[in-house]
Amino acid sequence: DDANLLMESQVPDWLETLCAAMRKRENFAAGLPRMKKLACCTQGHLCKVFQKHLHKTPTAYINELRINHAAWMLADTPMPILDIAGELNFQSLSRFYTLFRKAYGVSPAAYRRLHAARRHA
């Protein structure tokens, strides 16, 4: 869990503050441009600090936040999958499906069906 990594390591205060800000829907949906604006440092420095402390790129961090939020939306809302991908600013439905399957092991539609079945059980 990224929040635990941040607390366990000697991370700069600004990185903790940035990650907390990026966990807000309006920020992770806005993506890397928003992160760069909130970070107030160069993209190169941002990438270096993310790799050192979180062992991932800023883009991977943002995509994880987006995919986790998408999973919640799939399980708890009737919103169409295409609309969820669009609302979270994925550049393509294909990319959304690829990242979702990598994170959850199933397609978004299968994830939704699985959670619908659990609610009715």
Side-chain angles (χ1 to χ4, degrees):
D1 177 78
D2 294 328
N4 288 338
L5 269 176
L6 288 170
M7 292 182 349
E8 291 171 5
S9 64
Q10 296 296 325
V11 299
D13 290 341
W14 67 264
L15 181 59
E16 287 184 46
T17 302
L18 175 64
C19 288
M22 288 307 296
R23 285 191 287 274
K24 295 179 182 172
R25 191 201 162 288
E26 65 271 13
N27 290 331
F28 66 72
L32 191 59
R34 177 70 53 83
M35 180 184 273
K36 289 190 312 191
K37 184 177 179 182
L38 292 170
C40 297
C41 65
T42 66
Q43 185 170 343
H45 184 67
L46 188 62
C47 289
K48 199 180 306 181
V49 172
F50 259 79
Q51 284 293 344
K52 179 180 178 180
H53 295 288
L54 296 177
H55 313 293
K56 63 184 77 171
T57 66
T59 299
Y61 180 77
I62 291 166
N63 283 337
E64 285 178 16
L65 294 172
R66 287 174 171 172
I67 288 297
N68 290 337
H69 191 72
W72 171 81
M73 293 175 81
L74 288 163
D76 291 347
T77 74
M79 184 181 284
I81 293 170
L82 182 61
D83 293 349
I84 291 171
E87 190 167 306
L88 296 176
N89 284 329
F90 282 96
Q91 297 304 308
S92 72
L93 191 58
S94 172
R95 182 74 176 140
F96 173 66
Y97 267 78
T98 299
L99 290 171
F100 195 92
R101 188 179 296 276
K102 183 178 177 188
Y104 288 93
V106 295
S107 71
Y111 185 89
R112 175 171 271 166
R113 282 192 303 273
L114 207 134
H115 281 272
R118 286 184 184 159
R119 273 198 309 267
H120 294 107

